Amino acid sequence: MLKRRTFLKSSFLSTFALTLGFKKSCTNSMITDNEGDSFTPMVISTWEANELANRVAFEIISKGGYVLDAIEMGVRVPESDPKDTSVGYGGLPDREGYVTLDACIMNELGDFGSVICLERIKHAVSVARKVLEESHHVYLAGKGALEFALGHGFEEEELMTANSTSAWQEWVAKGSYDPMMTPRSLMEGMKDNHDTIGMLAIDQKGRMGGACSSSGLAFKHRGRVGDSPIIGSGLFIDSEVGAATGSGLGEEIAKVCASHVIVETMRRGASPEEACMEGVKRIVKRDADYAKVIQAGFVAINKKGEYGSFSIVPGFNYCTHNATEQARLHNAPSWF
Ligand code: ASP
């Protein structure tokens, strides 16, 4: 039975790449699965800025900790960082001046918790974990999410900083109400100020977990929800196959359920990089001219510990961390 499954898997893998004509294959790998007995833990996150988050997460799993503890503590790093303008405290507000946070978390069993448009609570990822573990629900939004958080011991605090307040005031003074302006800045050679964290990890027992946390697009419409808290869009995990997460223009990521596409593409035998490329391709093929002026980048891991990434335009990077390759920064290959 096992042999037959292995045979089917490997023969499908080689025909899959030929059929879909993938540009290149990824051989990045950090984990050894010793026939299911032990795993070398690893962490991968979107964006260079999340290197410290990876270190914190890795510290937990390297000591035998549970993957979701590592993920939660890792993601709390940028959520606390006032200099990170895309996540948690210091995240840029919506156009009315409110910081509204989106976050989700998923475990090795496929359980999922998410908060949407959460205000005045810094650690949205921790509230999402409470939704996963202590509610009967998957999504909690807005006022209800805040009430749930307060009922679970979280404390309200001001999430605007002096910097985010002045950035918002400058933006209001310009009178430009284009919420897509940030991704477009990539094409104008400006520093990308979206450091939304999507983190995936595997612990020593081979348990896979992931989370995504974001303040969403800067100066977005009030009530706007991105891909980050939506299952299959900003994050998806199927422990039998692998996991995917991403960052970028949430509207386009959500339209193609990109993280789900990536995991399902790996299920059919693609490498993580090939699968991320398929996620990007789904966006590009809808409107290639538009895709050239936006950004979306994905990272993925499979259960063998191979990892990969792909983005629409150059500029997307990600960090990996394991015992032998600490804080490694990679530039993702891109479609254009
Ligand atoms: N994906 C996030 C959103 O659209 C933003 C980002 O990744 O920078 O809300």
Side-chain angles (χ1 to χ4, degrees):
M1 179 67 179
L2 190 67
K3 277 189 187 147
R4 182 179 136 76
R5 208 185 298 142
T6 311
F7 167 75
L8 286 174
K9 206 171 148 192
S10 60
S11 58
F12 198 98
L13 195 145
S14 44
T15 47
F16 182 85
L18 288 173
T19 320
L20 293 190
F22 285 122
K23 282 186 199 159
K24 49 180 122 167
S25 67
C26 172
T27 52
N28 296 331
S29 178
M30 297 204 292
I31 298 170
T32 306
D33 176 356
N34 296 325
E35 291 163 357
D37 290 329
S38 77
F39 291 76
T40 304
M42 61 87 75
V43 184
I44 183 169
S45 287
T46 54
W47 301 117
E48 180 177 6
N50 293 317
E51 190 233 301
L52 179 62
N54 275 7
R55 281 183 191 277
V56 168
F58 184 74
E59 176 81 11
I60 294 170
I61 46 176
S62 65
K63 291 180 179 151
Y66 175 43
V67 70
L68 229 55
D69 294 333
I71 290 281
E72 180 186 354
M73 295 318 288
V75 171
R76 285 170 67 106
V77 172
E79 286 182 339
S80 303
D81 181 357
K83 292 196 291 305
D84 191 321
T85 56
S86 304
V87 184
Y89 177 57
L92 290 170
D94 66 15
R95 62 192 206 175
E96 313 288 324
Y98 297 97
V99 181
T100 66
L101 303 177
D102 291 339
C104 70
I105 192 162
M106 193 163 188
N107 69 15
E108 76 281 9
L109 304 171
D111 296 318
F112 185 85
S114 168
V115 286
I116 294 173
C117 282
L118 177 68
E119 292 181 33
R120 300 185 64 78
I121 304 284
K122 187 195 291 179
H123 292 303
V125 70
S126 299
V127 185
R129 186 168 177 187
K130 289 279 181 212
V131 174
L132 186 160
E133 291 175 348
E134 294 180 28
S135 83
H136 296 294
H137 311 298
V138 167
Y139 298 108
L140 288 178
K143 211 166 156 239
L146 176 60
E147 280 165 13
F148 174 85
L150 296 175
H152 284 78
F154 291 84
E155 284 183 11
E156 276 186 89
E157 59 190 298
E158 177 55 60
L159 300 182
M160 290 288 274
T161 59
N163 282 346
S164 61
T165 304
S166 63
W168 175 66
Q169 283 164 347
E170 267 173 43
W171 176 82
V172 168
K174 270 196 224 149
S176 157
Y177 282 87
D178 177 8
M180 306 308 171
M181 59 191 256
T182 304
R184 280 183 187 153
S185 71
L186 281 172
M187 300 306 291
E188 290 155 15
M190 289 160 60
K191 187 191 175 311
D192 179 30
N193 67 354
H194 264 256
D195 298 328
T196 285
I197 186 163
M199 178 185 275
L200 309 171
I202 306 184
D203 68 19
Q204 287 180 3
K205 293 190 173 159
R207 296 172 296 201
M208 233 177 248
C212 211
S213 183
S214 182
S215 52
L217 289 183
F219 319 129
K220 60 196 177 184
H221 196 288
R222 184 136 175 82
R224 178 263 186 192
V225 180
D227 60 304
S228 306
I230 306 298
I231 190 167
S233 292
L235 176 70
F236 194 69
I237 296 174
D238 182 333
S239 288
E240 284 183 5
V241 179
T245 186
S247 176
L249 185 54
E251 280 70 8
E252 300 309 308
I253 296 171
K255 281 175 198 168
V256 301
C257 301
S259 292
H260 187 256
V261 161
I262 292 166
V263 172
E264 292 308 306
T265 305
M266 288 193 287
R267 192 191 304 282
R268 298 199 302 277
S271 72
E273 183 180 301
E274 290 165 344
C276 289
M277 188 171 80
E278 179 64 18
V280 164
K281 183 175 158 192
R282 301 280 174 108
I283 296 173
V284 171
K285 79 175 185 190
R286 296 188 67 252
D287 185 343
D289 288 337
Y290 181 57
K292 280 182 192 149
V293 295
I294 64 168
Q295 178 63 299
F298 304 103
V299 296
I301 55 175
N302 64 21
K303 66 174 184 178
K304 288 185 281 180
E306 295 162 339
Y307 62 89
S309 176
F310 214 84
S311 63
I312 301 180
V313 291
F316 177 66
N317 53 27
Y318 65 102
C319 324
T320 53
H321 201 110
N322 78 348
T324 53
E325 291 179 357
Q326 304 203 340
R328 192 167 157 205
L329 177 67
H330 312 251
N331 288 315
S334 63
W335 190 275
F336 294 108

